[in-house]
Amino acid sequence: MPERKPVVVDGSNVAFEETTAAGKPKVANLVAVRRELERLGFDPIIVIVDAAFHHQVDDPRQLESLIDDQVVRQAPAGTDADYFVLTTAGEERAVVVSNDLYRPYEHQFPWIRKRRIPLMIVDGHVELYEPKLERDD
């Protein structure tokens, strides 16, 4: 049986990594990052977005479909999605894909410095910071 490699994706952060010409975050970024993580053998892949995120994105209908299909999870209204990203990652012993440094949470989740995978998205192509992916702990 292959080794379980869980990952939590800070979906709101990832969607803003490459925006539309109008500055809207892209739902396509979520799909592209998920596809890349699947290719790398991560499972489960848990994507979490803010509750009000569908008001900001370029394709709210596609986002709602991903939420309905449970491909994307939505944090409860009135809560901080970062807390749910970090709590879920802690429970799953997962790495976190995000460019957020989570400074307000450093003391509560000190492991985030070691388990955060930064990324870039250029023309829809996902680049994950590979040295962070090779860690064993």
Side-chain angles (χ1 to χ4, degrees):
M1 177 177 225
E3 179 187 344
R4 186 171 180 263
K5 294 171 24 179
V7 63
V8 176
V9 177
D10 182 341
S12 301
N13 182 274
V14 165
F16 272 101
E17 179 54 28
E18 182 177 67
T19 59
T20 66
K24 287 188 172 254
K26 292 182 177 181
V27 175
N29 292 352
L30 304 178
V31 174
V33 166
R34 183 176 180 83
R35 190 176 310 123
E36 180 64 10
L37 290 167
E38 286 172 345
R39 186 187 72 74
L40 293 170
F42 282 90
D43 181 54
I45 300 168
I46 303 164
V47 181
I48 300 174
V49 297
D50 295 287
F53 192 62
H54 64 278
H55 296 296
Q56 301 170 335
V57 295
D58 64 333
D59 191 343
R61 201 171 292 166
Q62 182 185 15
L63 179 63
E64 288 302 321
S65 177
L66 292 170
I67 291 169
D68 290 346
D69 293 342
Q70 295 187 357
V71 171
V72 171
R73 309 291 171 105
Q74 186 172 280
T79 64
D80 182 2
D82 287 351
Y83 174 80
F84 286 99
V85 166
L86 295 171
T87 298
T88 303
E91 290 170 358
E92 294 286 328
R93 296 193 47 79
V95 294
V96 175
V97 173
S98 180
N99 287 331
D100 190 336
L101 297 175
Y102 301 105
R103 286 200 171 103
Y105 293 101
E106 281 178 325
H107 295 299
Q108 189 174 0
F109 302 97
W111 48 261
I112 191 59
R113 285 177 288 226
K114 294 180 182 175
R115 292 188 359 214
R116 184 182 64 86
I117 300 171
L119 75 153
M120 285 182 61
I121 301 174
V122 180
D123 294 329
H125 179 72
V126 177
E127 291 291 335
L128 298 166
Y129 185 56
E130 295 291 337
K132 291 275 190 168
L133 293 174
E134 295 170 7
R135 290 183 335 89
D136 290 325
D137 57 335

PDB file of all heavy atoms in Angstrom, residues 4-21:
ATOM      1  N   ARG A   4       0.629   7.182   2.756  1.00  0.00           N
ATOM      2  CA  ARG A   4      -0.377   8.248   2.757  1.00  0.00           C
ATOM      3  C   ARG A   4       0.334   9.587   2.911  1.00  0.00           C
ATOM      4  O   ARG A   4       1.106   9.778   3.852  1.00  0.00           O
ATOM      5  CB  ARG A   4      -1.333   7.999   3.921  1.00  0.00           C
ATOM      6  CG  ARG A   4      -2.496   8.925   3.957  1.00  0.00           C
ATOM      7  CD  ARG A   4      -3.476   8.436   5.015  1.00  0.00           C
ATOM      8  NE  ARG A   4      -4.605   9.308   5.070  1.00  0.00           N
ATOM      9  CZ  ARG A   4      -4.735  10.303   5.945  1.00  0.00           C
ATOM     10  NH1 ARG A   4      -3.815  10.533   6.844  1.00  0.00           N
ATOM     11  NH2 ARG A   4      -5.809  11.075   5.927  1.00  0.00           N
ATOM     12  N   LYS A   5       0.107  10.510   1.986  1.00  0.00           N
ATOM     13  CA  LYS A   5       0.726  11.825   2.013  1.00  0.00           C
ATOM     14  C   LYS A   5      -0.388  12.880   1.990  1.00  0.00           C
ATOM     15  O   LYS A   5      -0.747  13.388   0.930  1.00  0.00           O
ATOM     16  CB  LYS A   5       1.643  12.005   0.803  1.00  0.00           C
ATOM     17  CG  LYS A   5       2.836  11.094   0.809  1.00  0.00           C
ATOM     18  CD  LYS A   5       3.668  11.073  -0.453  1.00  0.00           C
ATOM     19  CE  LYS A   5       3.644  12.241  -1.352  1.00  0.00           C
ATOM     20  NZ  LYS A   5       4.504  12.122  -2.530  1.00  0.00           N
ATOM     21  N   PRO A   6      -0.951  13.210   3.155  1.00  0.00           N
ATOM     22  CA  PRO A   6      -2.036  14.182   3.176  1.00  0.00           C
ATOM     23  C   PRO A   6      -1.519  15.601   2.958  1.00  0.00           C
ATOM     24  O   PRO A   6      -0.381  15.932   3.314  1.00  0.00           O
ATOM     25  CB  PRO A   6      -2.634  14.021   4.571  1.00  0.00           C
ATOM     26  CG  PRO A   6      -1.516  13.513   5.407  1.00  0.00           C
ATOM     27  CD  PRO A   6      -0.656  12.674   4.487  1.00  0.00           C
ATOM     28  N   VAL A   7      -2.368  16.431   2.388  1.00  0.00           N
ATOM     29  CA  VAL A   7      -2.035  17.838   2.164  1.00  0.00           C
ATOM     30  C   VAL A   7      -3.296  18.672   2.340  1.00  0.00           C
ATOM     31  O   VAL A   7      -4.389  18.242   1.973  1.00  0.00           O
ATOM     32  CB  VAL A   7      -1.413  18.056   0.762  1.00  0.00           C
ATOM     33  CG1 VAL A   7      -2.383  17.703  -0.341  1.00  0.00           C
ATOM     34  CG2 VAL A   7      -0.917  19.479   0.588  1.00  0.00           C
ATOM     35  N   VAL A   8      -3.119  19.844   2.934  1.00  0.00           N
ATOM     36  CA  VAL A   8      -4.206  20.807   3.051  1.00  0.00           C
ATOM     37  C   VAL A   8      -3.810  22.027   2.215  1.00  0.00           C
ATOM     38  O   VAL A   8      -2.696  22.537   2.343  1.00  0.00           O
ATOM     39  CB  VAL A   8      -4.464  21.209   4.519  1.00  0.00           C
ATOM     40  CG1 VAL A   8      -5.539  22.282   4.603  1.00  0.00           C
ATOM     41  CG2 VAL A   8      -4.858  19.985   5.344  1.00  0.00           C
ATOM     42  N   VAL A   9      -4.713  22.463   1.369  1.00  0.00           N
ATOM     43  CA  VAL A   9      -4.462  23.598   0.487  1.00  0.00           C
ATOM     44  C   VAL A   9      -5.240  24.799   0.993  1.00  0.00           C
ATOM     45  O   VAL A   9      -6.446  24.721   1.197  1.00  0.00           O
ATOM     46  CB  VAL A   9      -4.884  23.264  -0.965  1.00  0.00           C
ATOM     47  CG1 VAL A   9      -4.686  24.471  -1.884  1.00  0.00           C
ATOM     48  CG2 VAL A   9      -4.129  22.046  -1.477  1.00  0.00           C
ATOM     49  N   ASP A  10      -4.535  25.895   1.199  1.00  0.00           N
ATOM     50  CA  ASP A  10      -5.167  27.164   1.556  1.00  0.00           C
ATOM     51  C   ASP A  10      -5.737  27.725   0.255  1.00  0.00           C
ATOM     52  O   ASP A  10      -5.085  28.465  -0.478  1.00  0.00           O
ATOM     53  CB  ASP A  10      -4.135  28.104   2.171  1.00  0.00           C
ATOM     54  CG  ASP A  10      -4.712  29.433   2.619  1.00  0.00           C
ATOM     55  OD1 ASP A  10      -5.809  29.810   2.164  1.00  0.00           O
ATOM     56  OD2 ASP A  10      -4.050  30.112   3.422  1.00  0.00           O
ATOM     57  N   GLY A  11      -6.971  27.319  -0.043  1.00  0.00           N
ATOM     58  CA  GLY A  11      -7.574  27.621  -1.340  1.00  0.00           C
ATOM     59  C   GLY A  11      -7.705  29.096  -1.642  1.00  0.00           C
ATOM     60  O   GLY A  11      -7.476  29.526  -2.775  1.00  0.00           O
ATOM     61  N   SER A  12      -8.039  29.891  -0.656  1.00  0.00           N
ATOM     62  CA  SER A  12      -8.173  31.331  -0.893  1.00  0.00           C
ATOM     63  C   SER A  12      -6.828  31.922  -1.277  1.00  0.00           C
ATOM     64  O   SER A  12      -6.731  32.722  -2.212  1.00  0.00           O
ATOM     65  CB  SER A  12      -8.738  32.020   0.359  1.00  0.00           C
ATOM     66  OG  SER A  12      -9.994  31.479   0.684  1.00  0.00           O
ATOM     67  N   ASN A  13      -5.768  31.520  -0.582  1.00  0.00           N
ATOM     68  CA  ASN A  13      -4.432  32.014  -0.891  1.00  0.00           C
ATOM     69  C   ASN A  13      -3.998  31.571  -2.279  1.00  0.00           C
ATOM     70  O   ASN A  13      -3.482  32.361  -3.070  1.00  0.00           O
ATOM     71  CB  ASN A  13      -3.456  31.512   0.185  1.00  0.00           C
ATOM     72  CG  ASN A  13      -2.057  32.015  -0.029  1.00  0.00           C
ATOM     73  OD1 ASN A  13      -1.283  31.405  -0.762  1.00  0.00           O
ATOM     74  ND2 ASN A  13      -1.729  33.115   0.608  1.00  0.00           N
ATOM     75  N   VAL A  14      -4.224  30.305  -2.600  1.00  0.00           N
ATOM     76  CA  VAL A  14      -3.819  29.751  -3.895  1.00  0.00           C
ATOM     77  C   VAL A  14      -4.572  30.429  -5.044  1.00  0.00           C
ATOM     78  O   VAL A  14      -3.993  30.743  -6.079  1.00  0.00           O
ATOM     79  CB  VAL A  14      -4.038  28.225  -3.914  1.00  0.00           C
ATOM     80  CG1 VAL A  14      -3.994  27.660  -5.324  1.00  0.00           C
ATOM     81  CG2 VAL A  14      -3.006  27.538  -3.027  1.00  0.00           C
ATOM     82  N   ALA A  15      -5.845  30.692  -4.864  1.00  0.00           N
ATOM     83  CA  ALA A  15      -6.641  31.312  -5.926  1.00  0.00           C
ATOM     84  C   ALA A  15      -6.137  32.709  -6.270  1.00  0.00           C
ATOM     85  O   ALA A  15      -6.247  33.151  -7.412  1.00  0.00           O
ATOM     86  CB  ALA A  15      -8.116  31.368  -5.522  1.00  0.00           C
ATOM     87  N   PHE A  16      -5.546  33.398  -5.296  1.00  0.00           N
ATOM     88  CA  PHE A  16      -5.005  34.743  -5.530  1.00  0.00           C
ATOM     89  C   PHE A  16      -3.600  34.714  -6.115  1.00  0.00           C
ATOM     90  O   PHE A  16      -3.065  35.756  -6.472  1.00  0.00           O
ATOM     91  CB  PHE A  16      -4.982  35.545  -4.222  1.00  0.00           C
ATOM     92  CG  PHE A  16      -6.254  36.281  -3.938  1.00  0.00           C
ATOM     93  CD1 PHE A  16      -7.170  35.770  -3.038  1.00  0.00           C
ATOM     94  CD2 PHE A  16      -6.547  37.482  -4.572  1.00  0.00           C
ATOM     95  CE1 PHE A  16      -8.349  36.442  -2.759  1.00  0.00           C
ATOM     96  CE2 PHE A  16      -7.722  38.165  -4.305  1.00  0.00           C
ATOM     97  CZ  PHE A  16      -8.625  37.652  -3.392  1.00  0.00           C
ATOM     98  N   GLU A  17      -2.992  33.549  -6.226  1.00  0.00           N
ATOM     99  CA  GLU A  17      -1.608  33.475  -6.703  1.00  0.00           C
ATOM    100  C   GLU A  17      -1.469  33.986  -8.135  1.00  0.00           C
ATOM    101  O   GLU A  17      -0.496  34.642  -8.467  1.00  0.00           O
ATOM    102  CB  GLU A  17      -1.078  32.040  -6.580  1.00  0.00           C
ATOM    103  CG  GLU A  17       0.332  31.851  -7.060  1.00  0.00           C
ATOM    104  CD  GLU A  17       1.345  32.794  -6.424  1.00  0.00           C
ATOM    105  OE1 GLU A  17       1.159  33.243  -5.285  1.00  0.00           O
ATOM    106  OE2 GLU A  17       2.347  33.097  -7.102  1.00  0.00           O
ATOM    107  N   GLU A  18      -2.421  33.673  -8.983  1.00  0.00           N
ATOM    108  CA  GLU A  18      -2.441  34.226 -10.344  1.00  0.00           C
ATOM    109  C   GLU A  18      -3.871  34.704 -10.567  1.00  0.00           C
ATOM    110  O   GLU A  18      -4.795  33.895 -10.562  1.00  0.00           O
ATOM    111  CB  GLU A  18      -2.052  33.168 -11.376  1.00  0.00           C
ATOM    112  CG  GLU A  18      -2.011  33.727 -12.789  1.00  0.00           C
ATOM    113  CD  GLU A  18      -1.542  32.685 -13.794  1.00  0.00           C
ATOM    114  OE1 GLU A  18      -2.271  31.700 -14.020  1.00  0.00           O
ATOM    115  OE2 GLU A  18      -0.453  32.876 -14.351  1.00  0.00           O
ATOM    116  N   THR A  19      -4.038  36.003 -10.733  1.00  0.00           N
ATOM    117  CA  THR A  19      -5.375  36.576 -10.843  1.00  0.00           C
ATOM    118  C   THR A  19      -5.717  36.896 -12.293  1.00  0.00           C
ATOM    119  O   THR A  19      -4.859  36.887 -13.172  1.00  0.00           O
ATOM    120  CB  THR A  19      -5.493  37.862 -10.003  1.00  0.00           C
ATOM    121  OG1 THR A  19      -4.523  38.809 -10.461  1.00  0.00           O
ATOM    122  CG2 THR A  19      -5.274  37.579  -8.521  1.00  0.00           C
ATOM    123  N   THR A  20      -6.997  37.212 -12.510  1.00  0.00           N
ATOM    124  CA  THR A  20      -7.443  37.643 -13.837  1.00  0.00           C
ATOM    125  C   THR A  20      -6.923  39.053 -14.101  1.00  0.00           C
ATOM    126  O   THR A  20      -6.400  39.712 -13.193  1.00  0.00           O
ATOM    127  CB  THR A  20      -8.983  37.669 -13.910  1.00  0.00           C
ATOM    128  OG1 THR A  20      -9.453  38.691 -13.027  1.00  0.00           O
ATOM    129  CG2 THR A  20      -9.594  36.321 -13.560  1.00  0.00           C
ATOM    130  N   ALA A  21      -7.101  39.536 -15.321  1.00  0.00           N
ATOM    131  CA  ALA A  21      -6.701  40.902 -15.667  1.00  0.00           C
ATOM    132  C   ALA A  21      -7.420  41.917 -14.782  1.00  0.00           C
ATOM    133  O   ALA A  21      -6.890  42.986 -14.488  1.00  0.00           O
ATOM    134  CB  ALA A  21      -6.989  41.178 -17.138  1.00  0.00           C
TER     135      ALA A  21
END
